[in-house]
Amino acid sequence: MVTIKDVAAAAGVSVATVSRALNNQATVDADLADRVRVAAAELGYRRNGVARSLRLQRTDVWALIISDIANPFFTAVARGLEDVAQEQGYSVVLCNSDEDPAKEARYLDVAVREQVSGVVLSPNEVSSDISHLQRLGVPVVAIDRPLREPVDSVLVRSAAGAEEATAHLLEQGWRRPACITGPESAGTAVQRLTGYRRAMAAHSSRPPKNLVRYADYRADRAGEAAADLLDGRYPPDAFFVANSEMALGVLEELRHRQLLPGRDVGLVAFDDAPWTPFTERPLTVVAQPAYEMGVLAGRLLLDRIGVPLDAQPPARTRRLRTELVVRGSSLRG
Amino acid sequence: MVTIKDVAAAAGVSVATVSRALNNQATVDADLADRVRVAAAELGYRRNGVARSLRLQRTDVWALIISDIANPFFTAVARGLEDVAQEQGYSVVLCNSDEDPAKEARYLDVAVREQVSGVVLSPNEVSSDISHLQRLGVPVVAIDRPLREPVDSVLVRSAAGAEEATAHLLEQGWRRPACITGPESAGTAVQRLTGYRRAMAAHSSRPPKNLVRYADYRADRAGEAAADLLDGRYPPDAFFVANSEMALGVLEELRHRQLLPGRDVGLVAFDDAPWTPFTERPLTVVAQPAYEMGVLAGRLLLDRIGVPLDAQPPARTRRLRTELVVRGSSLRG
DNA sequence: TTGTAAGCGTTATCAA
DNA sequence: TTGATAACGCTTACAA
């Protein structure tokens, strides 16, 4: 490995001068600086980031810990965050907790150990433990899902979006829309259910019962939930599904039963995805500004990095609006 | 920050003993080890991975640098790699090069600087520069796309898969299947085109011309390519598309023209995705064993990590078979 | 079995 | 403006 020492020897200067030259410090003579840069290039020197981090007690790395890498929502968030990061000289490393609290804890630990300078987290549970990061003063931004701890958060108005979606189904004339939501431990799942319930209550003083199922945000469990609902005593005639991945499971079950969305049943999914316009009946969705959320999270991080603990602003929460995109699957006939 | 020194003081031992105890070395007295562990837990000590890496000249981190995070193929690869890594005590950090050679170079540099102990890369170009990693003895595995340098590789039999897909279209009675492939710089794009050409040549001694377009593996460019083909003098009656993301662009263009796959045109995409069974006519695809590829890449990495340079095996290439999954979009009528 | 101390590669302080 | 040197937190000879 070529170290700063080798460069110093080659350029005939001290290691201190090399360090200063390579970090573009103004106090170094232009000629010397050139000589150093030439020597570094010739030797193929690359700064050892580990040593640098140890000395500086910080890195130029942010961690983005997401709960499902296969979910296009999170990949769009990642893009947004990364664009802000790159612009400011940070790198983003992505960690996939896979909806598994143990994996999430592992990656939070990695973030501490590797001294990342900021963490964006979509917590699996509102109770996820970020105390260690907080104690070290590493800024944390919760994204998509709320955290019990008071930290900066970028959320969507889930309840409002869910309410709008459910109201839309009712307006279309569907009588018994069911709700398939995520796990009870996820704040978003609860909020989307709340929105659904609000719309149902607003539409009728005695809303139908037993039309709610908790799945785990995964396709197959959502398919089972749909089957269970359809086999019930008073089956639903429409579905509000709390994310697009679960919509795939529901679509499979409906196809299996030869029920066509937009004709035999109504269907709206929370969360857009690239494929949603191309299902047999294009899918009506509640779109989230995922990319913007990533950008916003990055900005919140930047606001805190390098700011002393006593000058940190209080925790801020940004709640972004969703947009109902009506396509075919929610219409009647 | 709580350091090993604080733990030593609290436990009344030396830092060396703390280090040994926390690394489960056999040579340390059981009682003492317990005392150390208790002290560490009470103080909330976490080992500083940066300092450790500097001393050991290695980390427990692998980098996976992929060319498109929104592509489900790569997310499945990531899952496979991660499962192997976790099992062996490594963490995987994901970097998204976004089909941009500059970003890729940036992340390769980050990998060097941060001293990751292994890199899995889906190169944007066959000429991607990994020389620095090689010089340092950091094992590299190329995945999905070949690299000019001799490194371990996990590829699929792209040409064979493409040939099978195209032959299937021809067998179904489509006369003029077009090929929309990826950028010329990507090895996979070239191979898939080769397979297409092979099938066309095998089927007819004078295969139709001007039916090939290079897009960049992105949906919108593929849509434009489809439009261009359909507006040509002798338009195609079927499409072989080199990945599933581009299939979305083609689907959009077809819908725009009210052409239904499986009735008015034939359509096969290389690369499966979760949504492919749910398009208006379920999409026929060439499925790749993405998860297994990730697992394999991890195993190849493990074979080299910690092995001295002179004991390293020669570069190995694994070529995995694809599977043609016939659904509706390639059928006729 | 335990402790002392050197050293990983860098940056920052201080003196020249 | 430059150089010598200490320090970041850890692991590991080597000594006791």
Side-chain angles (χ1 to χ4, degrees):
Chain A
M1 173 190 287
V2 182
T3 73
I4 206 172
K5 239 175 163 171
D6 304 315
V7 178
V13 297
S14 75
V15 291
T17 302
V18 175
S19 174
R20 283 190 281 250
L22 296 181
N23 287 301
N24 299 314
Q25 298 211 15
T27 68
V28 53
D29 183 82
D31 283 354
L32 259 194
D34 273 346
R35 225 162 76 204
V36 168
R37 268 188 286 270
V38 169
E42 271 175 1
L43 294 172
Y45 167 79
R46 308 258 182 135
R47 160 160 75 203
N48 183 323
V50 176
R52 175 168 221 249
S53 299
L54 178 60
R55 177 62 232 241
L56 296 180
Q57 299 284 64
R58 62 183 171 78
T59 61
D60 298 336
V61 176
W62 291 351
L64 171 59
I65 306 176
I66 57 179
S67 38
D68 180 9
I69 196 192
N71 187 332
F73 168 75
F74 287 118
T75 60
V77 167
R79 281 237 170 85
L81 183 68
E82 195 161 33
D83 284 351
V84 176
Q86 295 255 6
E87 193 181 276
Q88 303 288 328
Y90 292 91
S91 301
V92 175
V93 302
L94 231 142
C95 310
N96 178 29
S97 73
D98 227 0
E99 305 283 1
D100 176 351
K103 273 195 185 177
E104 179 182 295
R106 243 186 75 103
Y107 278 118
L108 284 169
D109 200 57
V110 171
V112 171
R113 291 200 323 254
E114 301 300 328
Q115 314 250 81
V116 302
S117 57
V119 173
V120 177
L121 169 71
S122 72
N124 286 327
E125 308 175 315
V126 288
S127 57
S128 289
D129 181 21
I130 56 159
S131 59
H132 209 90
L133 286 162
Q134 294 197 299
R135 220 171 307 135
L136 291 173
V138 178
V140 175
V141 176
I143 200 160
D144 179 51
R145 308 179 186 180
L147 215 45
R148 190 125 59 211
E149 302 285 320
V151 294
D152 287 347
S153 310
V154 180
L155 311 172
V156 293
R157 298 186 180 277
S158 271
E163 186 176 354
E164 187 182 1
T166 310
H168 164 71
L169 283 171
L170 292 166
E171 276 161 27
Q172 288 297 314
W174 304 104
R175 297 293 174 105
R176 297 176 51 78
C179 175
I180 300 180
T181 191
E184 269 189 276
S185 53
T188 47
V190 175
Q191 285 164 16
R192 288 166 201 182
L193 175 58
T194 302
Y196 161 83
R197 286 209 167 114
R198 231 187 265 157
M200 295 295 277
H203 183 258
S204 151
S205 54
R206 242 173 16 93
K209 300 221 157 169
N210 300 324
L211 287 177
V212 171
R213 292 292 181 281
Y214 293 91
D216 59 357
Y217 277 144
R218 295 292 173 83
D220 47 357
R221 294 293 309 280
E224 293 165 19
D228 182 48
L229 283 159
L230 289 166
D231 289 336
R233 184 122 171 225
Y234 301 103
D237 62 353
F239 294 89
F240 165 65
V241 185
N243 79 356
S244 56
E245 203 167 330
M246 292 201 297
L248 287 174
V250 173
L251 281 169
E252 181 164 30
E253 186 60 33
L254 293 177
R255 175 164 287 188
H256 183 64
R257 292 168 188 250
Q258 310 209 342
L259 294 172
L260 182 66
R263 186 190 66 192
D264 310 315
V265 296
L267 179 60
V268 181
F270 203 103
D271 184 24
D272 203 0
W275 51 263
T276 52
F278 301 105
T279 48
E280 187 161 358
R281 286 289 161 97
L283 198 60
T284 296
V285 299
V286 179
Q288 308 180 80
Y291 179 88
E292 289 75 12
M293 291 173 74
V295 170
L296 222 49
R299 298 239 177 89
L300 289 172
L301 234 40
L302 286 171
D303 277 358
R304 289 185 185 279
I305 288 176
V307 174
L309 276 170
D310 53 5
Q312 294 274 342
R316 295 154 297 176
T317 297
R318 299 265 185 285
R319 291 182 183 279
L320 278 69
R321 236 172 272 286
T322 59
E323 186 193 359
L324 182 67
V325 181
V326 177
R327 301 197 183 103
S329 69
S330 56
L331 307 181
R332 216 188 154 89
Chain B
M1 173 190 286
V2 182
T3 75
I4 206 174
K5 238 174 164 172
D6 304 316
V7 178
V13 297
S14 75
V15 291
T17 302
V18 174
S19 173
R20 284 190 278 251
L22 296 181
N23 287 302
N24 300 314
Q25 298 211 15
T27 68
V28 52
D29 182 81
D31 283 354
L32 259 195
D34 273 346
R35 226 163 74 204
V36 168
R37 270 188 285 270
V38 169
E42 270 175 2
L43 294 172
Y45 168 79
R46 308 261 180 133
R47 163 160 76 201
N48 182 322
V50 175
R52 175 169 220 248
S53 300
L54 179 59
R55 175 64 232 245
L56 296 180
Q57 299 284 66
R58 62 182 172 80
T59 61
D60 298 338
V61 176
W62 291 351
L64 170 60
I65 306 176
I66 57 179
S67 39
D68 180 9
I69 197 194
N71 187 331
F73 168 76
F74 287 118
T75 60
V77 167
R79 282 237 169 85
L81 183 68
E82 195 161 33
D83 284 352
V84 177
Q86 295 256 3
E87 194 180 275
Q88 303 289 327
Y90 291 92
S91 301
V92 175
V93 301
L94 231 143
C95 310
N96 178 30
S97 74
D98 227 0
E99 304 283 4
D100 175 350
K103 272 195 186 179
E104 180 182 294
R106 241 185 77 102
Y107 278 118
L108 283 169
D109 200 57
V110 171
V112 171
R113 293 200 322 254
E114 301 300 328
Q115 314 251 82
V116 303
S117 56
V119 173
V120 177
L121 170 71
S122 72
N124 286 327
E125 308 175 314
V126 288
S127 56
S128 289
D129 181 21
I130 56 158
S131 59
H132 208 90
L133 286 162
Q134 294 197 299
R135 220 171 308 136
L136 291 172
V138 178
V140 175
V141 176
I143 200 160
D144 180 49
R145 307 178 187 180
L147 214 45
R148 191 126 59 212
E149 302 284 320
V151 293
D152 288 348
S153 309
V154 180
L155 310 173
V156 293
R157 298 187 180 276
S158 270
E163 186 176 355
E164 187 183 2
T166 309
H168 164 71
L169 283 171
L170 291 166
E171 276 161 26
Q172 289 297 314
W174 304 104
R175 297 291 173 107
R176 298 175 48 79
C179 175
I180 300 180
T181 190
E184 268 190 278
S185 52
T188 47
V190 175
Q191 286 164 16
R192 288 166 200 182
L193 176 58
T194 302
Y196 161 83
R197 287 210 166 112
R198 231 187 264 157
M200 295 296 277
H203 183 259
S204 152
S205 54
R206 240 172 21 92
K209 301 221 155 164
N210 300 324
L211 288 176
V212 171
R213 292 293 181 281
Y214 291 92
D216 59 356
Y217 276 145
R218 294 294 172 83
D220 48 356
R221 294 293 308 279
E224 292 165 19
D228 183 47
L229 283 159
L230 289 166
D231 289 337
R233 185 124 171 222
Y234 302 102
D237 63 353
F239 294 89
F240 165 65
V241 185
N243 79 356
S244 55
E245 204 167 328
M246 291 200 297
L248 287 174
V250 174
L251 282 169
E252 183 164 27
E253 186 59 33
L254 294 177
R255 174 163 288 188
H256 183 63
R257 292 167 188 252
Q258 310 209 342
L259 295 172
L260 182 66
R263 186 190 66 191
D264 310 315
V265 295
L267 179 59
V268 181
F270 204 103
D271 183 24
D272 202 0
W275 50 264
T276 53
F278 301 105
T279 48
E280 186 159 359
R281 286 289 162 97
L283 197 62
T284 296
V285 298
V286 179
Q288 308 180 79
Y291 180 89
E292 289 75 13
M293 291 173 73
V295 170
L296 222 49
R299 298 236 177 90
L300 289 172
L301 233 40
L302 286 171
D303 277 358
R304 290 188 184 275
I305 288 175
V307 174
L309 275 170
D310 54 5
Q312 293 274 343
R316 296 154 296 177
T317 297
R318 299 264 185 287
R319 289 182 184 280
L320 278 70
R321 235 173 272 287
T322 60
E323 186 193 359
L324 181 67
V325 180
V326 177
R327 301 197 182 104
S329 69
S330 57
L331 307 181
R332 214 187 156 89

